[in-house]
Amino acid sequence: MHPRFLAGVAAVALLAGGSALADPLPSWNDTGPKQSIIAFVESVTDPTSEAYVPEEDRIATFDNDGTLWTEQPVYFQGLYALDVLQEKAKVDPDILTTDALKAGAKGDVGGILATGMDGLLEVINVSHSGLTVEEFQADALDWLTNYTHPTTKKPYVDMVYQPMLELLSYLRDEGFTTYIVSGGGIDFIRAFSEDAYGIPPWQVVGTEGNTAFEVVDGLPMLTKNGGVTFIDDKEGKPVGIARHIGRKPIFAAGNSDGDFAMLQYTTSGAGPSYGLLVHHTDAAREFAYDREGHIGTLNRGLDEGPGLGWTIVDMAQDWAKVFPGE
Amino acid sequence: MHPRFLAGVAAVALLAGGSALADPLPSWNDTGPKQSIIAFVESVTDPTSEAYVPEEDRIATFDNDGTLWTEQPVYFQGLYALDVLQEKAKVDPDILTTDALKAGAKGDVGGILATGMDGLLEVINVSHSGLTVEEFQADALDWLTNYTHPTTKKPYVDMVYQPMLELLSYLRDEGFTTYIVSGGGIDFIRAFSEDAYGIPPWQVVGTEGNTAFEVVDGLPMLTKNGGVTFIDDKEGKPVGIARHIGRKPIFAAGNSDGDFAMLQYTTSGAGPSYGLLVHHTDAAREFAYDREGHIGTLNRGLDEGPGLGWTIVDMAQDWAKVFPGE
Ligand SMILES: [Ca+2]
Ligand SMILES: [Ca+2]
């Protein structure tokens, strides 16, 4: 067939809709979740549909750890904090004032987790204080880019999920604004979210620490002072959405019961909405975990989610790829 | 002259730049502030200029009370809180547990201010709690639209400054994102900011109260519970910017020493930046006040601002109009 004719066929197909030519979610298998995501997006963006939602209300919120990137063997921010703590303890061992900090300085993740969430916060506090926000973000980005994951050996920044990158792009192409709403630290996520996800800092909601404005030698700066002022997890997620966005999302994605309230809030009320939970079922390509364990526990979501109309993504079955470049 | 020829002339003028045809700031007199604002905007938006700033960094932050609308005889949110408190006290006088609340229930603004900022916060706390964010905003918008200012007799929503509306539009037309960064309550400002200023809720930064996510009779809701969790004033303004925006503005406007830190932060560092202070000099058309008084005190800004390169807008001299429709 003459090439010019082929080009003509392609142009006609594009004009006719072109969805066969441009699959917005190529790393998703053609199973229920992909089909229902596309059906939802097509209905809320179709001005003739009863479910039509104007662009300014197309707000989509995404959990980060375990939803946009891997969270095993422990949150990457926790691993980063451990490395920083160990460096700091070499210089000044007197900072190790608690059991959690002593465990951290030995790289003993189990020992920290045994002290509970408070222990993890102590480690993060001591590691993430006494420097400016800019310095912290430069250091975190350097670590995420140059250190590698213990099992996959990939740089941490490459442990993002290709299907979710496609979903973020697809939603933005369809007039959605995509936000991260994470229990992780807001400054930490902002260090890489624009490069990794195309999400600028003002669309990142997260756990917040004490930040002070100081003028040092005539130079204004923002300094991380330690101490947590807001925990953006569980019931805190809708509160974080209220503080930062001020409007209810119509799409929310998570992977654990820490996201239950966010999905419940998003999918409540009369208008169209979509709730998505990533279920980690893929020990071969990533990790398999749900009801038990130290991170990303998913019970209520599995029990009540389907009855609430939420989509449970079975990573092994519904994703053709997990990480980019595979 | 033939109309078609005239249209041709206009088209050529538009192609040649068109600034003579379309004044972006018609309610500003052709004095120093207007000239320097336009010069700044033209330089940071000119790709051939050394001062060029890409769109994603064109962040402009505006104080609200006294900068975008009137703040006399007292912050409008305070007047609203007084009205709500008086209604509530009629139903249940036992809520009047402090001197500030007792003064408030009598409409005695001086009595509240005598108890200091804490007293004002008590009045706002009691008035602005025990209801959902949605209910609060609907009630506040109703009040702002239907109640009138004691001296001008205009509805409060009409007490916005026409020159500042033009400045907001001009900056947005030139690729800036415009934020409010106010000591006022974030939920209160969001009730009217989109209609009044074209600023959506996610571009409003303000003082934050306790907000809880609750599921009542199966219905998820966000409830205002009283108590302040973040004060977005003075050194809190750069912190609010860090939390909500995560990037340093290049343009900041305020009217009091509560904005000093925000302007200091914005105009620090090497890149191009613009700091603006509205000086209330116009007792005839609005109010005249600066160094003394209970609200909008401006001392450091007048003393140090010019030396820091900030523009002081003399309302009487630099604004052709104050309010819309005049
Ligand atoms: Ca998660
Ligand atoms: Ca002000």
Side-chain angles (χ1 to χ4, degrees):
Chain A
M1 210 179 279
H2 196 280
R4 194 179 290 167
F5 181 68
L6 265 182
V9 169
V12 168
L14 271 171
L15 287 169
S19 57
L21 283 176
D23 180 351
L25 301 174
S27 300
W28 292 68
N29 290 325
D30 194 23
T31 47
K34 175 173 180 169
Q35 291 161 8
S36 72
I37 289 168
I38 291 175
F40 172 76
V41 171
E42 289 184 346
S43 75
V44 299
T45 56
D46 174 2
T48 68
S49 160
E50 273 189 32
Y52 179 73
V53 176
E55 285 205 12
E56 64 269 26
D57 293 330
R58 290 183 209 155
I59 294 167
T61 54
F62 288 80
D63 169 59
N64 184 44
D65 296 305
T67 298
L68 296 179
W69 74 353
T70 295
E71 63 183 344
Q72 298 286 0
V74 76
Y75 303 126
F76 296 171
Q77 187 178 1
L79 296 174
Y80 169 61
L82 276 189
D83 277 5
V84 174
L85 179 67
Q86 289 172 326
E87 289 298 315
K88 283 192 169 189
K90 275 184 207 160
V91 179
D92 180 9
D94 291 348
I95 63 171
L96 305 175
T97 52
T98 69
D99 288 346
L101 293 171
K102 284 170 193 157
K106 285 183 250 164
D108 172 12
V109 174
I112 298 170
L113 294 172
T115 67
M117 192 63 171
D118 287 350
L120 191 59
L121 281 178
E122 278 171 16
V123 171
I124 287 178
N125 258 339
V126 171
S127 324
H128 296 7
S129 63
L131 75 179
T132 68
V133 175
E134 275 182 29
E135 289 164 348
F136 169 74
Q137 290 183 325
D139 193 62
L141 182 58
D142 178 69
W143 185 89
L144 287 165
T145 311
N146 294 310
Y147 284 66
T148 55
H149 187 271
T151 55
T152 68
K153 309 300 179 197
K154 292 175 189 284
Y156 290 102
V157 281
D158 292 343
M159 302 267 316
V160 295
Y161 303 138
Q162 178 63 26
M164 297 304 278
L165 297 182
E166 293 167 8
L167 177 54
L168 289 170
S169 291
Y170 174 46
L171 291 172
R172 288 194 294 259
D173 287 346
E174 297 295 333
F176 283 74
T177 306
T178 54
Y179 288 85
I180 292 173
V181 177
S182 170
I186 190 167
D187 294 328
F188 182 79
I189 298 167
R190 285 171 169 174
F192 66 96
S193 65
E194 193 148 24
D195 281 349
Y197 305 129
I199 297 182
W202 47 88
Q203 283 154 9
V204 175
V205 181
T207 290
E208 295 171 1
N210 265 313
T211 304
F213 176 74
E214 297 166 334
V215 181
V216 180
D217 298 332
L219 202 67
M221 55 183 67
L222 290 154
T223 310
K224 290 177 76 70
N225 277 350
V228 169
T229 55
F230 175 65
I231 296 185
D232 190 58
D233 195 29
K234 301 189 178 72
E235 280 70 25
K237 290 206 174 196
V239 174
I241 289 169
R243 289 182 176 196
H244 285 262
I245 309 177
R247 189 163 293 170
K248 197 168 76 164
I250 65 165
F251 187 107
N255 78 303
S256 81
D257 287 344
D259 302 308
F260 194 91
M262 175 167 75
L263 267 72
Q264 195 178 24
Y265 176 55
T266 299
T267 61
S268 66
S273 61
Y274 195 98
L276 183 153
L277 287 171
V278 175
H279 187 192
H280 291 263
T281 53
D282 199 332
R285 296 186 299 178
E286 204 241 8
F287 294 91
Y289 57 99
D290 46 35
R291 291 185 181 276
E292 283 165 24
H294 62 295
I295 256 172
T297 317
L298 182 65
N299 285 297
R300 271 191 90 182
L302 289 177
D303 295 336
E304 301 175 38
L308 293 164
W310 303 349
T311 296
I312 316 285
V313 173
D314 180 328
M315 193 183 268
Q317 184 187 304
D318 297 324
W319 284 1
K321 264 189 188 184
V322 175
F323 299 113
E326 282 181 340
Chain B
M1 209 179 279
H2 196 280
R4 194 180 292 166
F5 180 69
L6 265 181
V9 170
V12 168
L14 271 170
L15 286 169
S19 57
L21 284 176
D23 180 352
L25 301 174
S27 300
W28 292 69
N29 290 325
D30 195 23
T31 47
K34 176 173 178 168
Q35 291 160 7
S36 73
I37 290 168
I38 291 175
F40 173 76
V41 171
E42 289 184 347
S43 74
V44 299
T45 56
D46 174 1
T48 68
S49 160
E50 271 188 34
Y52 179 73
V53 175
E55 285 206 12
E56 65 267 26
D57 293 329
R58 290 183 208 154
I59 294 166
T61 55
F62 288 78
D63 169 58
N64 184 44
D65 296 305
T67 298
L68 296 180
W69 73 355
T70 296
E71 63 183 343
Q72 298 287 1
V74 75
Y75 303 126
F76 297 171
Q77 187 177 2
L79 297 174
Y80 169 61
L82 276 189
D83 276 5
V84 175
L85 179 67
Q86 289 174 325
E87 290 298 315
K88 283 194 168 187
K90 276 183 206 160
V91 179
D92 180 9
D94 291 347
I95 62 171
L96 304 176
T97 53
T98 68
D99 289 346
L101 292 171
K102 283 170 193 159
K106 287 183 251 165
D108 172 12
V109 174
I112 298 170
L113 294 172
T115 67
M117 191 62 170
D118 286 351
L120 190 59
L121 282 177
E122 277 171 17
V123 171
I124 288 178
N125 257 340
V126 170
S127 323
H128 296 6
S129 62
L131 74 180
T132 68
V133 175
E134 276 182 29
E135 289 164 348
F136 169 74
Q137 290 183 326
D139 193 62
L141 182 58
D142 179 68
W143 185 89
L144 287 165
T145 311
N146 294 308
Y147 284 65
T148 54
H149 188 271
T151 55
T152 68
K153 309 299 178 196
K154 293 175 188 284
Y156 290 102
V157 281
D158 293 343
M159 304 258 328
V160 296
Y161 302 138
Q162 177 64 26
M164 297 306 276
L165 297 182
E166 293 167 7
L167 177 55
L168 289 169
S169 291
Y170 175 46
L171 291 173
R172 288 194 293 260
D173 287 347
E174 296 295 333
F176 282 73
T177 306
T178 54
Y179 288 84
I180 291 173
V181 177
S182 170
I186 189 166
D187 295 329
F188 182 80
I189 298 167
R190 285 170 170 176
F192 66 96
S193 65
E194 192 149 23
D195 281 348
Y197 306 129
I199 296 183
W202 46 89
Q203 284 152 11
V204 176
V205 181
T207 291
E208 295 172 0
N210 264 315
T211 305
F213 176 76
E214 296 166 334
V215 182
V216 180
D217 297 333
L219 202 69
M221 55 184 66
L222 290 156
T223 311
K224 290 176 77 70
N225 277 349
V228 169
T229 56
F230 175 66
I231 297 185
D232 189 59
D233 195 27
K234 301 189 178 75
E235 280 69 28
K237 290 205 174 194
V239 174
I241 290 169
R243 288 183 176 194
H244 284 263
I245 311 177
R247 191 163 293 170
K248 197 169 76 163
I250 64 165
F251 187 107
N255 78 303
S256 81
D257 287 344
D259 302 308
F260 195 91
M262 175 168 75
L263 268 70
Q264 194 178 25
Y265 175 54
T266 299
T267 60
S268 66
S273 62
Y274 196 97
L276 183 153
L277 287 171
V278 175
H279 187 192
H280 290 264
T281 52
D282 198 332
R285 296 185 300 178
E286 205 240 9
F287 294 91
Y289 58 98
D290 48 31
R291 293 187 180 273
E292 281 166 26
H294 60 296
I295 256 172
T297 318
L298 182 65
N299 284 297
R300 269 192 91 183
L302 288 178
D303 295 336
E304 300 175 37
L308 293 164
W310 303 351
T311 295
I312 316 286
V313 172
D314 179 328
M315 195 183 268
Q317 183 187 306
D318 298 323
W319 284 2
K321 265 188 187 185
V322 175
F323 299 114
E326 283 181 342

